[in-house]
Amino acid sequence: MTLALPRQAVRTKHGGRLRPRRRPSPLHLLLVPLSLVMLAPLIWMVLLSISTQEETRRFPPGLPGGVHWQNYVHAWQQGPFGHWLLNSTIVSVTCVLGNLVFCALAGYAFARIPFFGSRVLFVLVLATLMVPFQIVMLPTLIVVRDLHLTDTLGALIAPNLATPFGVFLMRQFFTTVPRELEEAARIDGAGRLRTLVRVLLPLMGPTLATLAVLTFLNVWNDFLWPLIAIQSPGNMTIQMGLQNFQGSHLTNWPVLMAGTVTSQIPVLVLFVIAQRFFVRSIASSGFK
């Protein structure tokens, strides 16, 4: 006969309730090495950014002999680095706002407004998720050319103002919201748009945050579409600008890595701030 030992408990900071203390799980023995493997490219990139050109040619790589912060200064001086960051920020923020507005409206229409062919149209929207971008790249370029947006920031913004995944994510959330909330708003005299803005949108903070982060990551790190739609250096994004650091015969790897680290700082900060919303969004959207 074995006796079950009570779990250790700690007192909360606010109030007097006791909560059991979580002990490390054996699963951490697997998660910790995997996390180190995932962090290895990022750590290597940071080490290369503070190394010299000669130290980057060593194999296996090791710690740099000193910290060479001038690589970051050279990255800013070799091109309009600040202008590229500004272009990427304008394009990414505009696309995020567009997805939050248009995907929320489309998701609400698919979830709550019955109209002829809604299910068929929603399936077609989901089917576009299976189409690689390389297939629709040329038709998209023709549309952008006909709109006279070629070689402008509008060419990067227009195709990303709404995404099928955003419509699907919003629709899944609206299907989980009780209809009684909307009926109560209608009794008070609110229309559909007012109900969406005043009642439903305040409830979908985690979902909106998740869509905003995923859209920002996708647009900020995009390289293929800006490479096709942009020609002038003044309209380049940060990902296109980094390719200017690569020469035909020689690449200054410390400067290139310094520019790459700088370009990823906004993404890392945004992800760290908003990562807690992902689990809430998945739980509230009904994903399995």
Side-chain angles (χ1 to χ4, degrees):
M1 180 177 178
T2 58
L3 297 177
L5 297 178
R7 292 186 298 177
Q8 295 180 348
V10 294
R11 187 173 297 275
T12 59
K13 183 181 297 185
H14 304 286
R17 293 184 302 174
L18 297 178
R19 293 185 302 178
R21 178 180 298 172
R22 296 182 179 180
R23 296 180 179 179
S25 170
L27 186 60
H28 288 81
L29 298 177
L30 177 63
L31 295 179
V32 171
L34 287 178
S35 62
L36 295 178
V37 172
M38 302 290 285
L39 289 174
L42 179 61
I43 296 175
W44 193 4
M45 180 177 64
V46 174
L47 292 178
L48 290 179
S49 68
I50 58 176
S51 303
T52 61
Q53 183 72 358
E54 291 73 18
E55 291 173 342
T56 60
R57 299 170 181 170
R58 294 182 306 184
F59 188 83
L63 295 176
V67 180
H68 302 276
W69 297 111
Q70 63 271 19
N71 294 329
Y72 289 86
V73 178
H74 294 162
W76 280 83
Q77 293 177 347
Q78 287 190 9
F81 202 87
H83 190 69
W84 295 336
L85 283 175
L86 179 61
N87 290 341
S88 294
T89 303
I90 293 175
V91 173
S92 300
V93 172
T94 306
C95 292
V96 167
L97 295 178
N99 273 265
L100 294 181
V101 174
F102 297 124
C103 293
L105 293 174
Y108 179 76
F110 281 121
R112 287 293 190 261
I113 302 177
F115 58 92
F116 177 76
S118 60
R119 293 188 177 182
V120 176
L121 183 59
F122 182 67
V123 171
L124 292 177
V125 171
L126 293 182
T128 59
L129 291 173
M130 299 181 290
V131 180
F133 175 72
Q134 290 78 5
I135 295 179
V136 299
M137 182 170 54
L138 183 57
T140 305
L141 183 61
I142 295 175
V143 173
V144 169
R145 183 198 62 187
D146 294 339
L147 294 175
H148 305 287
L149 296 176
T150 307
D151 199 18
T152 64
L153 295 183
L156 308 180
I157 295 174
N160 296 304
L161 284 177
T163 57
F165 175 77
V167 175
F168 169 72
L169 186 64
M170 295 295 104
R171 188 258 184 188
Q172 289 300 106
F173 171 82
F174 287 124
T175 56
T176 61
V177 177
R179 292 182 179 269
E180 288 76 10
L181 294 177
E182 300 176 57
E183 295 174 356
R186 291 179 184 177
I187 293 175
D188 293 337
R192 288 191 180 273
L193 184 59
R194 187 177 180 183
T195 302
L196 174 64
V197 175
R198 295 293 185 88
V199 178
L200 299 180
L201 288 184
L203 299 176
M204 55 190 306
T207 307
L208 293 175
T210 301
L211 179 61
V213 172
L214 294 179
T215 303
F216 187 90
L217 292 176
N218 182 52
V219 177
W220 183 275
N221 293 323
D222 190 15
F223 175 76
L224 180 59
W225 176 241
L227 181 64
I228 298 172
I230 301 298
Q231 289 83 37
S232 59
N235 292 326
M236 287 184 177
T237 59
I238 186 62
Q239 304 303 331
M240 286 191 64
L242 290 176
Q243 72 170 344
N244 294 330
F245 294 162
Q246 298 183 359
S248 302
H249 305 285
L250 179 64
T251 299
N252 193 340
W253 290 108
V255 176
L256 177 60
M257 292 298 105
T260 306
V261 171
T262 305
S263 68
Q264 294 304 309
I265 290 177
V267 177
L268 293 176
V269 172
L270 179 64
F271 185 79
V272 170
I273 294 176
Q275 64 175 344
R276 61 191 180 94
F277 292 105
F278 287 119
V279 176
R280 296 182 185 178
S281 176
I282 293 174
S284 62
S285 299
F287 292 159
K288 297 297 182 180

